[in-house]
Amino acid sequence: MNKLHLNYLLTSFVLFTLGFTQHSARKEQPFNSKNGGLFLPEGFEATVVVDSLPGRARHIAVNDNGDIYVKARFANAGESVIALRDTNGDGRADIIKRFGGKAREHAYGTAMRIYKGYLYFSSELVVYRYKLTPGDLVPQSKEEVILTDDHPHGMHEHIAKPLTFDDKGFMYVPFGANSNACQEENRTPGSKGITPCPILEDHGGIWKFDANKPGQLQKDGVKFATGLRSVVGMDWNFADNNLYALQHGRDDLLRLWPQLFNGWQSAMLPSEEFLRIKEGTHAGWPYCYWDQMQNKKVLNPEYGGDGKLVGDCGQYEKPLIGFPGHWAPNDILFYRGSQFPERYLNGSFIAFHGSTNRAPYPQSSYFIGFVPFKNGQSAGEYEIFADGFAGVDPIVNVSDAVYRPMGIAMGPDGSIYIAETEKGKIWKVTYKGNKKKFAKNALAKMEKRKSLTHIRTPDFTNDNLDKDKPVAGGNVYTVYCSACHQRNGMGDSQRFPPLGGSEWVTGDKDKLINVILKGLEGPIEVKGQPYNNVMPQHSFLKDEEISEVLTHIRTNFGNSAGPVSAEEVARVRAANDNVK
């Protein structure tokens, strides 16, 4: 038996003892029967409230009587909110109703909050609310439109509308930047950043609104903070009366700047930032990003950075914690209940939805983290509170993950509820142990989970999934395509469409070549599902490289279409040049 084979067997055994199936196992198979498949600290237990929901799930809220309200991930008009009730006290929902929302809700629709007797929720562009009726699962009041994003949006990039509220009647709503790094040509290799970035005038920040005033537009609010590319997780901490937000860092360091960054750096950077937000805060986007390994903000390459230059980045807000790149922190809950042990009081639970673009390394996170707070300050490194959602390790493609945690809410008894996006499963987590005897050794098993592939810092060589696969077309695909469409060509089921079985891939070759040369923006349909994002142009690639990568995708991922020649690419490129 050779050394490589022995190492593989040892790794397989370790992962099995930690409760994971191997990657080759079908994800439909049960991977952990206890706690609905979750791994939790000693003393905690989980109950499955519902196994799956039509429309799946994003954010979640729980009313004072225990009724659960879920923002559907996909929904038609009038079905944006999923309401759940447990009538017999067994912890499982036995009544499920749908209501709310006037326009078709797409994947980025999000936010579900209960504030002063009202149920607030949002689509990508609209914030709605209902007055809750005591005793009624479905409110009898008229639906109100509180805020409308009236900007033209040709693509759906960072336009989700998460919400939170303070104690003075104000509602806080991010307006995400429709850009990766404010380049002259968005997501185009070598394109420089614009100074000052015009996007920051009305996007890339958080605005404050009157929570009780219907019919508002962005101009009716006040810009509260700026320099925030994309915020999906946000909460008001009543312990210190401050707003906290989780910023998604920019993408594509390797794809856009291969002369400056390698695949490992692009997988680990830039940090996802956990920020305390005060009025007037500037977090530095698009000029700078936080490097959690160097513990400082450095210049983005679009603005002259090389991964080390600081420039004037020291003037911008520093995060409380910088999480590794692309972990997608999508919800946060400051715990105010009394059921959990004292150490959890006022600390923050964070739902990491999981990365999509860490190629050529495995995808990462897909867990619920916890950051302890003491006297209004973060008091330690993050902990693993709930894990096991993905069901596999390593997670090579997003579609390999069985579940992806998304929403967190606290119930009236101090339990927390967790919702996930892939099937719409919901767990209720309660503490059954002795609160007075809870000690740090109860967290020891959870701490060991940080050594698993989906959480640990990847080894530069051993964790590189392409180290033994020097294939021409596949190599181009890995650098420029797999971050979005994934290594298995299946996309991420939400923002990026699949290539396997796609009529765009297997159909007209000239049309496909033009997608590479010109890019694609705006709504399209792939295999019957709508997508609305941006595909940047890749005209900088040589004809041979385009030929290789298109042949690769037309003959892989279950596709069996014919090859694309360099001559065909050259002909289409020349035709485009003649039109200009």
Side-chain angles (χ1 to χ4, degrees):
M1 181 181 297
N2 62 39
K3 183 177 181 182
L4 180 61
H5 189 202
L6 178 61
N7 286 339
Y8 173 79
L9 291 176
L10 289 172
T11 301
S12 299
F13 177 75
V14 170
L15 293 179
F16 179 78
T17 58
L18 283 166
F20 278 97
T21 62
Q22 291 307 297
H23 176 69
S24 59
R26 295 305 301 160
K27 64 186 179 183
E28 290 81 5
Q29 296 300 314
F31 52 91
N32 178 22
S33 59
K34 187 178 179 182
N35 293 323
L38 299 187
F39 298 90
L40 299 163
E42 184 180 331
F44 287 91
E45 295 181 6
T47 301
V48 176
V49 177
V50 64
D51 289 295
S52 61
L53 289 171
R56 308 185 204 174
R58 278 179 71 82
H59 285 156
I60 183 172
V62 185
N63 204 2
D64 291 341
N65 67 346
D67 287 345
I68 302 169
Y69 296 93
V70 183
K71 177 64 186 68
R73 178 178 169 189
F74 302 107
N76 294 316
E79 298 182 343
S80 185
V81 179
I82 307 173
L84 311 174
R85 176 174 285 178
D86 170 19
T87 61
N88 59 14
D90 66 353
R92 295 184 63 86
D94 42 54
I95 297 179
I96 301 177
K97 302 285 186 180
R98 300 190 68 168
F99 65 93
K102 295 179 179 179
R104 177 169 174 80
E105 310 288 335
H106 294 285
Y108 267 31
T110 194
M112 185 61 65
R113 296 279 188 177
I114 295 174
Y115 178 69
K116 293 188 176 180
Y118 284 87
L119 179 72
Y120 290 77
F121 63 97
S122 73
S123 66
E124 301 100 319
L125 302 177
V126 181
V127 175
Y128 304 93
R129 81 170 181 180
Y130 283 92
K131 176 70 174 176
L132 289 169
T133 308
D136 290 337
L137 177 62
V138 176
Q140 303 302 307
S141 59
K142 181 181 178 181
E143 181 178 87
E144 295 181 277
V145 173
I146 300 300
L147 173 66
T148 300
D149 181 346
D150 59 336
H151 298 284
H153 290 284
M155 60 182 179
H156 289 213
E157 186 169 2
H158 313 144
I159 61 172
K161 296 293 183 293
L163 312 169
T164 195
F165 302 86
D166 64 16
D167 58 348
K168 295 182 173 62
F170 291 108
M171 175 178 74
Y172 298 83
V173 182
F175 283 69
N178 59 337
S179 171
N180 185 45
C182 201
Q183 291 174 281
E184 295 171 354
E185 296 180 79
N186 191 30
R187 297 183 185 271
T188 298
S191 179
K192 300 297 184 182
I194 304 171
T195 306
C197 177
I199 294 172
L200 293 180
E201 293 178 12
D202 51 20
H203 284 78
I206 298 172
W207 271 253
K208 181 172 74 172
F209 298 90
D210 184 337
N212 297 301
K213 181 180 178 182
Q216 296 177 90
L217 302 176
Q218 187 187 39
K219 65 181 178 61
D220 298 310
V222 175
K223 185 190 291 188
F224 189 76
T226 191
L228 295 157
R229 171 181 176 267
S230 175
V231 171
V232 184
M234 183 175 64
D235 196 20
W236 188 269
N237 184 1
F238 290 94
D240 67 353
N241 272 324
N242 276 301
L243 177 65
Y244 288 79
L246 295 153
Q247 173 171 221
H248 289 207
R250 56 82 52 81
D251 303 316
D252 295 332
L253 288 174
L254 170 63
R255 190 177 69 82
L256 301 181
W257 302 93
Q259 71 276 28
L260 296 175
F261 299 93
N262 57 41
W264 187 89
Q265 291 170 309
S266 191
M268 289 296 296
L269 297 170
S271 176
E272 311 280 59
E273 299 182 44
F274 183 18
L275 294 150
R276 179 186 287 113
I277 306 291
K278 295 183 178 293
E279 189 159 11
T281 290
H282 194 312
W285 183 89
Y287 313 115
C288 308
Y289 67 84
W290 183 259
D291 182 322
Q292 74 276 9
M293 295 176 286
Q294 297 186 70
N295 200 38
K296 63 183 180 182
K297 283 202 166 169
V298 297
L299 281 172
N300 262 316
E302 289 78 7
Y303 294 89
D306 61 358
K308 298 178 181 178
L309 289 174
V310 172
D312 60 358
C313 295
Q315 66 181 304
Y316 300 117
E317 187 71 24
K318 295 180 180 179
L320 302 174
I321 293 179
F323 299 108
H326 320 298
W327 275 17
N330 277 6
D331 204 6
I332 177 175
L333 168 72
F334 280 96
Y335 187 74
R336 300 165 63 197
S338 58
Q339 182 191 126
F340 288 8
E342 181 72 18
R343 70 182 310 279
Y344 290 97
L345 183 62
N346 297 322
S348 57
F349 290 96
I350 299 173
F352 291 99
H353 193 226
S355 68
T356 60
N357 50 359
R358 284 172 66 101
Y361 293 90
Q363 303 301 338
S364 191
S365 74
Y366 303 81
F367 67 90
I368 302 293
F370 176 75
V371 177
F373 271 62
K374 187 174 182 179
N375 299 323
Q377 300 291 327
S378 57
E381 293 296 317
Y382 79 91
E383 301 167 2
I384 310 295
F385 179 75
D387 191 23
F389 296 93
V392 294
D393 187 272
I395 307 165
V396 178
N397 303 286
V398 177
S399 59
D400 297 336
V402 182
Y403 305 114
R404 299 179 67 189
M406 175 72 192
I408 319 175
M410 190 181 76
D413 64 351
S415 299
I416 67 168
Y417 293 76
I418 302 167
E420 68 82 35
T421 58
E422 303 313 290
K423 293 178 177 61
K425 189 167 185 173
I426 297 175
W427 295 261
K428 179 182 180 180
V429 179
T430 57
Y431 186 70
K432 300 290 188 178
N434 187 329
K435 290 196 296 183
K436 294 182 179 180
K437 294 184 178 180
F438 185 84
K440 284 189 176 181
N441 59 10
L443 305 173
K445 290 183 180 179
M446 302 306 294
E447 187 67 19
K448 289 180 180 179
R449 301 192 70 81
K450 290 185 178 180
S451 65
L452 291 167
T453 309
H454 70 287
I455 301 176
R456 72 172 186 244
T457 298
D459 181 88
F460 182 88
T461 301
N462 294 332
D463 288 325
N464 187 326
L465 298 169
D466 285 335
K467 62 180 179 179
D468 299 319
K469 299 178 180 179
V471 181
N475 193 41
V476 176
Y477 180 85
T478 295
V479 174
Y480 296 106
C481 311
S482 65
C484 297
H485 297 291
Q486 300 299 293
R487 296 172 63 84
N488 64 355
M490 296 306 293
D492 73 344
S493 80
Q494 182 169 303
R495 295 176 297 165
F496 310 119
L499 301 178
S502 167
E503 61 273 31
W504 289 77
V505 173
T506 59
D508 182 83
K509 287 195 280 187
D510 286 5
K511 181 180 178 181
L512 180 61
I513 293 168
N514 268 320
V515 170
I516 299 294
L517 293 175
K518 295 181 177 181
L520 191 64
E521 183 175 325
I524 64 170
E525 190 171 285
V526 180
K527 299 174 69 174
Q529 182 165 319
Y531 293 88
N532 196 344
N533 214 307
V534 59
M535 161 74 181
Q537 60 87 9
H538 288 67
S539 60
F540 56 88
L541 291 174
K542 299 176 182 178
D543 292 345
E544 292 78 10
E545 292 173 318
I546 294 176
S547 165
E548 290 170 352
V549 74
L550 292 185
T551 297
H552 177 77
I553 66 173
R554 283 167 64 86
T555 56
N556 282 279
F557 316 130
N559 299 329
S560 57
V564 175
S565 69
E567 290 74 22
E568 288 172 311
V569 177
R571 173 178 54 78
V572 175
R573 192 193 295 267
N576 292 340
D577 291 340
N578 289 335
V579 171
K580 294 178 183 177

